[in-house]
Amino acid sequence: MPNINRRQFIILSSLATGYALCTHPIAASTITTDTEGITTEQVQIPIGGVSIPAYTAMPASGNMFPVVLVVHEIFGVHEYIQDVCRRLAKEGYFAIAPALFARQSDVSQMSDPQTIISEVVSQVPDKQVMDDLNATVTWVAGTGKGNIDKLGITGFCWGGRIVWLYAAHNPRVKAGVAWYGRLQGETTPLTPQHPIDIAGKLQAPVLGLYGGSDRLISVESIQTMRQRLVQSNSPSEIVVYPDASHGFHADYRDSYAKEAAVDGWQRLQVWFRRHDVIYNITLAD
């Protein structure tokens, strides 16, 4: 069991409420999804002698819902990610967002994005993330509410990169949707491979949604990824919105591009249905 001190235990025990500190001020375009017809809950996912918090949302009645893992940005499972879970629940999914930085720090209370990247994100091993997502899937299966034979994954920014990696890691995944996830980067012991390196190893099709004006992800890297997907005969696809920048789905930020965000969300729904992550609800008695 890891050496967990009191501060770390508190971090592992709960999610923050509201929006992450360094995302303020919150834009007027922010979408708030109500809980009518759905249930939401903060839960604990046991893994390796500890538990990590997660946010869940699902329809209020029924069971064996298709499952979507929601992978957060660098700001953790704050209000925006929780709202994405509620949006998916409204579509009939069991959506769950585990706090994948929980062992490292509570990023919701950090005020500088670069500090989050250097002190937290850079310290998170890909293997730990894969294991935590596996544990999340196992936990969902044990609830009797989620059908992990209908498993999808979506993620944003840092989480977009994770979508590609997890689609190569877990053969249970039916499909993934990666929102502006980094495709290449420095190889380190903690991040030994990037999406470009595993394009030929994907076990599920991924829809990549990218901005043509993204200063963090080059058009060249997107083109290289497309070429590798073609070379490996992958059914994965990449859509580029020419005028959108990084974070174009994040409605709480100035980067929000409504047209691209709405189109991307529609494509997500079509993608999941096409690849068998479908609405499969059994009504309660």
Side-chain angles (χ1 to χ4, degrees):
M1 177 175 176
N3 182 20
I4 304 296
N5 62 33
R6 179 172 175 78
R7 178 174 178 273
Q8 288 172 313
F9 177 77
I10 292 172
I11 289 170
L12 289 172
S13 67
S14 63
L15 299 174
T17 58
Y19 289 88
L21 182 62
C22 70
T23 66
H24 291 251
I26 306 305
S29 55
T30 301
I31 296 170
T32 301
T33 304
D34 62 40
T35 57
E36 183 178 357
I38 65 173
T39 61
T40 64
E41 186 180 9
Q42 183 181 145
V43 301
Q44 296 289 329
I45 309 297
I47 170 71
V50 299
S51 62
I52 62 172
Y55 182 87
T56 68
M58 72 187 84
S61 63
N63 56 66
M64 296 306 286
F65 307 110
V67 178
V68 178
L69 301 171
V70 180
V71 189
H72 56 74
E73 331 136 292
I74 66 168
F75 308 118
V77 186
H78 65 139
E79 177 59 24
Y80 163 64
I81 295 300
Q82 295 174 25
D83 200 88
V84 168
C85 289
R86 295 194 293 272
R87 297 174 207 181
L88 287 164
K90 294 274 188 176
E91 299 293 333
Y93 293 96
F94 184 130
I96 182 165
L100 299 169
F101 299 159
R103 291 174 183 78
Q104 279 72 29
S105 186
D106 179 5
V107 293
S108 71
Q109 298 306 308
M110 300 176 72
S111 60
D112 177 47
Q114 291 306 314
T115 300
I116 292 175
I117 293 170
S118 63
E119 297 185 3
V120 181
V121 178
S122 65
Q123 305 304 310
V124 179
D126 286 344
K127 183 182 184 304
Q128 173 186 293
V129 175
M130 299 298 109
D131 290 346
D132 285 353
L133 290 173
N134 288 345
T136 301
V137 173
T138 298
W139 182 89
V140 170
T143 67
K145 289 287 188 178
N147 180 0
I148 63 171
D149 289 330
K150 306 291 185 182
L151 178 64
I153 182 170
T154 191
F156 306 85
C157 186
W158 178 85
R161 172 181 175 270
I162 296 301
V163 168
W164 290 103
L165 297 183
Y166 199 65
H169 170 78
N170 188 346
R172 278 194 171 275
V173 175
K174 295 288 188 181
V177 178
W179 301 77
Y180 33 88
R182 185 162 54 96
L183 296 169
Q184 58 187 162
E186 181 184 1
T187 297
T188 73
L190 300 186
T191 58
Q193 292 183 307
H194 295 282
I196 276 178
D197 304 315
I198 52 84
K201 301 177 183 178
L202 294 172
Q203 302 190 68
V206 175
L207 172 64
L209 301 172
Y210 289 83
S213 299
D214 192 332
R215 292 180 297 174
L216 301 179
I217 300 172
S218 70
V219 173
E220 290 75 18
S221 70
I222 294 172
Q223 287 300 104
T224 300
M225 187 66 176
R226 276 178 167 160
Q227 291 168 3
R228 296 198 179 184
L229 292 172
V230 170
Q231 290 167 358
S232 61
N233 296 313
S234 172
S236 300
E237 298 177 9
I238 293 179
V239 174
V240 177
Y241 298 99
D243 299 325
S245 61
H246 196 79
F248 65 80
H249 185 269
D251 49 77
Y252 67 98
R253 293 161 62 186
D254 290 340
S255 59
Y256 179 57
K258 183 177 181 179
E259 185 175 344
V262 170
D263 183 79
W265 190 256
Q266 292 172 342
R267 288 176 183 271
L268 173 147
Q269 295 178 62
V270 171
W271 191 258
F272 281 161
R273 289 179 182 274
R274 180 186 302 169
H275 295 290
D276 208 25
V277 185
I278 58 176
Y279 183 70
N280 181 22
I281 182 172
T282 301
L283 295 177
D285 292 337

